[in-house]
Amino acid sequence: MKPPLRAVIFDFDDTLFDDAACTRAGLAELARLHGVTHWTPQATFTRHAEIIDEISPRMFSGQLTGHTARVERFSRLLAEWGIANPDGEAATHTYRAAYTRAWTLIDGAAEVLGELRERGLRTAILTNYVQEVQLEKLRFFGLLDALDAVLCVEDLPAPKPDARAYHAACAALDVTPAEALMIGDS
């Protein structure tokens, strides 16, 4: 007999938080500021995601902080746009300002967390992004009280999709994997 569901674990970005829309807003502001018209918004979004994937292993291993990873990411993107002497630090500030102005939850996210809490289910965030940024977003939306645990990349023995990440979330919620459901965008 299957054990009852006791916990729901969520990815955060693009599951509860509309990271794609915020990312597009930040990238659009960078492109506008630098007069970039030779790259489409989709090409920029795609290359930005590829650069993140290239840099992430160094962030996961602790070689880069969230901020230094962003500076490198934007230095590389500006260079690929053909910007001479790219200033990754300034680009990071421009991007982050536009990104945070665009912050929004996925429709119904707060209500789902509230409903799960009312039903007595334990809830957690399990994210491969840095704690500093994820806690800032969760505080902004007032979601911390709806969660029993928040596990960011620094808290994990390995990033998702490694099974150890999911086991860490289950341990934080004091449930077995068979008693938990994971919801994410991929």
Side-chain angles (χ1 to χ4, degrees):
M1 184 155 110
K2 183 175 164 100
L5 181 66
R6 294 184 48 220
V8 180
I9 304 165
F10 291 92
D11 178 35
F12 189 54
D13 293 334
D14 293 323
T15 300
L16 298 174
F17 173 77
D18 193 351
D19 188 65
C22 301
T23 297
R24 289 180 190 283
L27 293 172
E29 180 60 18
L30 269 182
R32 185 198 64 73
L33 182 67
H34 291 283
V36 174
T37 57
H38 56 288
W39 280 49
T40 66
Q42 184 57 46
T44 295
F45 184 83
T46 299
R47 183 60 188 135
H48 176 257
E50 291 168 352
I51 293 170
I52 289 172
D53 288 344
E54 292 164 10
I55 292 172
S56 288
R58 292 179 29 234
M59 190 175 72
F60 293 155
S61 71
Q63 295 173 16
L64 296 174
T65 66
H67 180 74
T68 57
R70 281 190 292 275
V71 170
E72 182 175 329
R73 174 183 359 149
F74 293 117
S75 294
R76 288 176 58 181
L77 184 62
L78 292 176
E80 290 183 24
W81 279 348
I83 307 300
N85 303 314
D87 184 346
E89 186 72 39
T92 293
H93 291 292
T94 298
Y95 171 87
R96 286 282 298 155
Y99 177 87
T100 56
R101 280 193 306 272
W103 279 2
T104 187
L105 291 175
I106 300 290
D107 287 342
E111 293 80 6
V112 165
L113 288 173
E115 178 69 22
L116 293 172
R117 173 73 74 201
E118 286 177 20
R119 292 179 182 217
L121 293 169
R122 299 183 59 78
T123 57
I125 297 293
L126 176 60
T127 174
N128 278 350
Y129 204 62
V130 294
Q131 189 176 68
E132 171 193 354
V133 175
Q134 299 302 52
L135 289 177
E136 181 184 8
K137 290 186 268 188
L138 289 164
R139 283 185 194 104
F140 179 83
F141 292 109
L143 295 179
L144 284 174
D145 289 341
L147 298 165
D148 296 293
V150 176
L151 291 94
C152 299
V153 70
E154 303 96 327
D155 307 312
L156 302 173
K160 297 179 296 176
D162 189 296
R164 292 175 293 171
Y166 304 103
H167 287 271
C170 289
L173 294 172
D174 194 29
V175 298
T176 67
E179 296 171 315
L181 173 68
M182 174 71 200
I183 299 175
D185 61 311
S186 63

